[in-house]
């Protein structure tokens, strides 16, 4: 490329404008070859950049496909999980209802049998009193039996002595 010189009558801005124009002008046979080589270099550079961008786009598309697959799987899992939660929730509600019903039944049965239970408790208390009375009576009778055994022994001893005395008298 050829550099232009500033004629004395031109201003600075005119000089810059003419310089830009002269850079794009072809003056020799060598200039078009250089420009063609530069253009090829730029073209190759841009083609490489485009290829790299296309590879990146392809990788990103693969990643998007992979993420879409994972998202689909997660949605399926979430759907199944939601269905399980709904089922478990329904079972819980059924169990809770059954538990409430059972508690109501128990309360009504307790109410129905409350008098019977009270009667049985009174019978137990009476029975316990009678048992204590019988134990006391048993102690008295045991003492009486012991006293009577002692008397019996004493009577046997006296009888033995009388028999001995009668046998000696004979």
């Amino acid at each position: 490329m050829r550099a232009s010189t500033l004629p004395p009558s031109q201003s600075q801005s005119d000089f810059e404008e003419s310089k830009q124009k002269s850079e794009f002008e072809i003056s020799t046979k060598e200039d078009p070859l250089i420009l063609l080589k530069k253009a090829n270099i730029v073209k190759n550079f841009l083609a490489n950049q485009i290829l790299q961008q296309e590879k990146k786009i392809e990788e990103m598309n693969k990643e998007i496909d992979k993420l879409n697959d994972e998202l689909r799987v997660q949605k399926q899992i979430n759907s199944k999980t939601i269905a399980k939660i709904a089922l478990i929730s329904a079972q819980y509600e059924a169990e809770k209802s059954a538990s409430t019903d059972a508690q109501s039944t128990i309360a009504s049965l307790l109410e129905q049998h409350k008098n019977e239970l009270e009667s049985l408790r009174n019978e137990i208390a009476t029975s316990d009193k009678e048992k204590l009375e019988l134990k006391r009576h048993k102690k008295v009778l045991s003492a009486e039996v012991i006293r009577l055994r002692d008397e019996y022994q004493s009577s046997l001893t006296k009888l033995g002595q009388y028999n001995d005395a009668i046998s000696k008298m004979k």
Side-chain angles (χ1 to χ4, degrees):
M1 286 192 203
R2 191 170 25 138
S4 50
T5 58
L6 179 63
S9 62
Q10 285 186 325
S11 69
Q12 181 67 26
S13 63
D14 291 338
F15 171 71
E16 288 177 8
E17 191 177 300
S18 65
K19 183 178 178 185
Q20 287 175 355
K21 287 180 185 176
S22 67
E23 287 179 357
F24 295 107
E25 293 177 359
I26 301 173
S27 61
T28 64
K29 287 184 179 181
E30 192 173 296
D31 287 339
L33 290 176
I34 293 174
L35 286 176
L36 188 58
K37 285 181 182 177
K38 286 181 180 179
N40 277 336
I41 291 171
V42 170
K43 181 188 95 168
N44 289 338
F45 175 76
L46 291 176
N48 285 337
Q49 290 294 322
I50 290 171
L51 283 175
Q52 288 176 356
Q53 291 299 322
E54 286 175 351
K55 285 180 183 177
K56 285 181 184 177
I57 289 171
E58 188 177 326
E59 288 173 7
M60 287 180 174
N61 282 335
K62 287 180 182 178
E63 187 67 26
I64 288 171
D65 290 342
K66 181 181 175 184
L67 291 174
N68 281 335
D69 290 342
E70 288 178 13
L71 181 62
R72 186 176 3 79
V73 168
Q74 286 299 322
K75 283 182 180 179
Q76 289 173 348
I77 290 171
N78 288 346
S79 296
K80 289 178 182 178
T81 302
I82 289 170
K84 284 182 182 178
I85 288 171
L87 178 65
I88 290 171
S89 179
Q91 289 174 342
Y92 170 75
E93 290 301 322
E95 291 294 324
K96 184 177 176 184
S97 176
S99 174
T100 303
D101 292 346
Q103 287 175 350
S104 298
T105 303
I106 290 170
S108 68
L109 288 173
L110 274 174
E111 191 61 38
Q112 289 173 359
H113 299 295
K114 185 176 182 181
N115 292 334
E116 188 178 332
L117 289 172
E118 188 64 32
S119 173
L120 290 173
R121 285 185 187 126
N122 289 336
E123 284 181 28
I124 290 171
T126 304
S127 204
D128 285 345
K129 287 178 186 177
E130 288 175 0
K131 185 179 174 183
L132 284 174
E133 188 63 33
L134 288 173
K135 280 185 179 180
R136 280 189 218 129
H137 192 60
K138 178 184 171 186
K139 285 181 183 178
V140 169
L141 289 176
S142 291
E144 186 67 20
V145 165
I146 291 171
R147 187 186 64 76
L148 288 174
R149 279 186 190 157
D150 287 342
E151 263 183 44
Y152 176 71
Q153 277 300 337
S154 173
S155 295
L156 284 178
T157 306
K158 284 181 185 178
L159 181 62
Q161 288 171 354
Y162 287 132
N163 283 337
D164 284 342
I166 291 177
S167 28
K168 283 183 187 177
M169 282 195 211
K170 291 191 183 178

